[in-house]
């Protein structure tokens, strides 16, 4: 759980293009925030800045009152789920999920226990010895979620996590994200193009355009009275 406080956040890429202009955003503890907006408006840039995968050109990010703007990704209490899953192909499901704990040099017993818990909550118990190429798209996505939550991050960032799945699976996974949010009680920041996902998952929706936050509101406020 975490409160996220973003102030004056700006990102100019090395080619000089400014993808995010002076953005302010406050996210409450445990909130499910969905970020929508046209392709290229800066959604991924904002997530990558929160995750620490990019350095901001200006501005600050604080989580629970702690300034994390310049901390390395692993020290932020934040984890990210990517559209492309980004699983390690040569590692099994269990090894993929365990990876962040191995990097953090957690004891073997703790790793085994955490992996078992995560696998149970995502219904991956039967698949732990498989490699990613032997999984369906939905199963791969579940593994990438497992790898993200295994360190019990305060904040879970999801960048179009369902966009590579067929429509039936998207519906199922949408329900799963709602369940996961309830179960974990974590702060979620979720990027999508899908209005239905935004409507059903969000406590609040952030509408971005051209590197700016244009509107923030509850789903019904934004979509019922456009
Ligand atoms: P990424 O996060 O990988 O940069 P993009 O934002 O480039 O993803 O968009 C992914 C796909 O969604 C692209 O094929 C793009 O054409 C399409 N897309 C982008 N914006 C919209 C939109 N507002 N409505 C529908 N499809 C969109
Ligand atoms: P979205 O996720 O909303 O599709 P992005 O945050 O991916 O948007 O990109 C925002 C803008 O920044 C786009 O115009 C994109 O082309 C540009 N951009 C993204 N990454 C880079 C980069 N590494 N270098 C230069 N421009 C980039």
């Amino acid at each position: 759980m975490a409160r996220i406080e973003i102030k004056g956040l700006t990102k100019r890429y090395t080619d000089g293009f400014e993808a995010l202009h002076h953005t302010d955003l406050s996210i409450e503890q445990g909130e499910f925030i969905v970020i929508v907006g046209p392709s290229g408006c800066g959604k991924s840039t904002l997530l990558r800045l929160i995750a620490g995968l990019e350095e901001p050109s200006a501005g600050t990010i604080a989580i629970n009152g702690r300034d994390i703007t310049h901390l390395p990704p692993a020290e932020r209490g934040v984890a990210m789920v990517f559209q492309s899953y980004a699983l390690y192909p040569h590692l099994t499901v269990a090894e993929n999920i365990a990876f962040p704990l191995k990097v953090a040099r957690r004891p073997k017993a703790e790793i085994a226990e955490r992996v078992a818990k995560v696998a149970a909550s995502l219904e991956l118990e039967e698949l732990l010895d498989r490699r990613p190429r032997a999984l369906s798209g939905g199963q791969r996505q579940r593994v990438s979620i497992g790898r993200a939550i295994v360190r019990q991050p305060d904040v879970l960032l999801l960048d179009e996590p369902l966009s590579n799945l067929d429509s039936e699976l998207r519906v199922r996974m949408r329900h799963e994200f709602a369940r996961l949010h309830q179960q974990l009680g974590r702060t979620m920041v979720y990027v999508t193009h899908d209005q239905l996902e935004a409507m059903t998952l969000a406590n609040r929706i952030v509408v971005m355009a051209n590197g700016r936050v244009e509107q923030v509101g509850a789903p019904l406020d934004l979509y019922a009275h456009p």
Side-chain angles (χ1 to χ4, degrees):
M1 278 175 282
R3 179 180 162 76
I4 309 174
E5 200 68 58
I6 291 168
K7 291 209 181 109
L9 199 64
T10 298
K11 177 62 184 179
R12 215 172 302 103
Y13 284 108
T14 45
D15 63 0
F17 182 79
E18 197 168 293
L20 202 65
H21 319 292
H22 239 84
T23 300
D24 297 333
L25 185 63
S26 292
I27 297 173
E28 300 303 323
Q29 199 155 308
E31 228 183 345
F32 201 128
I33 288 284
V34 175
I35 304 178
V36 300
S39 191
C41 71
K43 304 183 296 297
S44 296
T45 297
L46 178 56
L47 280 203
R48 291 202 301 268
L49 288 167
I50 299 172
L53 304 177
E54 301 277 0
E55 270 286 302
S57 313
T60 58
I61 306 168
I63 296 184
N64 290 336
R66 185 171 70 126
D67 187 336
I68 61 148
T69 316
H70 302 291
L71 286 185
E75 291 170 27
R76 295 179 171 220
V78 165
M80 186 143 160
V81 173
F82 299 92
Q83 176 180 3
S84 57
Y85 318 133
L87 298 174
Y88 304 109
H90 57 291
L91 299 182
T92 65
V93 167
E95 290 164 346
N96 265 284
I97 295 173
F99 192 82
L101 296 176
K102 283 225 165 119
V103 171
R105 297 171 188 278
R106 306 307 306 164
K108 269 209 172 84
E110 181 193 325
I111 294 180
E113 188 194 324
R114 289 292 315 153
V115 169
K117 274 212 176 111
V118 165
S121 81
L122 293 166
E123 291 174 21
L124 290 167
E125 295 112 313
E126 313 291 311
L127 305 172
L128 286 171
D129 294 329
R130 289 209 199 164
R131 283 175 219 284
R133 68 168 174 279
L135 300 175
S136 71
Q139 292 167 340
R140 282 178 204 179
Q141 187 54 276
R142 270 205 279 277
V143 177
S144 74
I145 293 164
R147 191 182 52 185
I149 64 177
V150 76
R151 284 193 74 192
Q152 303 178 282
D154 295 322
V155 178
L156 196 55
L157 307 171
L158 304 115
D159 195 357
E160 304 196 41
L162 304 186
S163 57
N164 284 334
L165 305 178
D166 64 43
S167 57
E168 197 179 320
L169 203 50
R170 289 175 75 118
V171 174
R172 243 192 27 234
M173 292 298 291
R174 203 173 72 222
H175 292 302
E176 206 146 304
F177 279 123
R179 183 183 63 81
L180 205 63
H181 180 237
Q182 277 189 331
Q183 182 192 324
L184 299 172
R186 307 282 145 167
T187 305
M188 316 267 263
V189 187
Y190 185 108
V191 166
T192 185
H193 287 124
D194 186 318
Q195 189 168 320
L196 196 59
E197 278 172 35
M199 287 288 290
T200 51
L201 290 172
N203 297 127
R204 284 190 304 154
I205 296 174
V206 172
V207 182
M208 289 186 68
N210 300 315
R212 293 175 200 284
V213 170
E214 297 273 301
Q215 284 190 82
V216 183
L220 285 175
D221 292 336
L222 289 180
Y223 288 125
H225 319 283

